[in-house]
Amino acid sequence: MKEFVLVATAVILSLAAAGAIIRIAIGPSLLDRVLASDVLLAIVGAALAVDMAVNRHLNNLVLLVALAIIGFIGSVTVARFVAERREHSNES
């Protein structure tokens, strides 16, 4: 049963990662690409969490926290940049 859950999780995460990579490649706007890259970081984090759960270790916990922080800071930075850019375009 454990192997089936691991394979099913790997397949689902792989399909989700492929969809995120496709969205990064063909996204029509900057926000689409940023959102897809944030989703890809979340998928990598989920894969690390699954690895830690299956192998019963906490070796990747620091990496998981770092990925979460990088994803959050990157998303907030791009959102603020886009908001400022839209404000400047509305003033013109």
Side-chain angles (χ1 to χ4, degrees):
M1 183 68 174
K2 181 178 167 183
E3 290 82 17
F4 173 73
V5 172
L6 181 62
V7 169
T9 305
V11 168
I12 291 170
L13 289 176
S14 298
L15 290 174
I21 290 171
I22 290 171
R23 194 61 179 171
I24 289 172
I26 65 170
S29 69
L30 176 67
L31 288 178
D32 288 332
R33 289 184 171 101
V34 169
L35 183 63
S37 65
D38 196 32
V39 168
L40 190 60
L41 275 176
I43 292 167
V44 169
L48 286 173
V50 168
D51 175 56
M52 289 189 297
V54 168
N55 295 324
R56 297 179 186 236
H57 65 79
L58 296 175
N59 296 343
N60 298 332
L61 190 60
V62 174
L63 182 59
L64 184 62
V65 171
L67 279 176
I69 291 172
I70 289 170
F72 174 75
I73 291 173
S75 296
V76 169
T77 303
V78 171
R80 291 188 70 173
F81 171 73
V82 170
E84 288 178 8
R85 192 169 154 190
R86 286 187 179 169
E87 286 177 6
H88 290 301
S89 66
N90 289 339
E91 291 175 358
S92 302

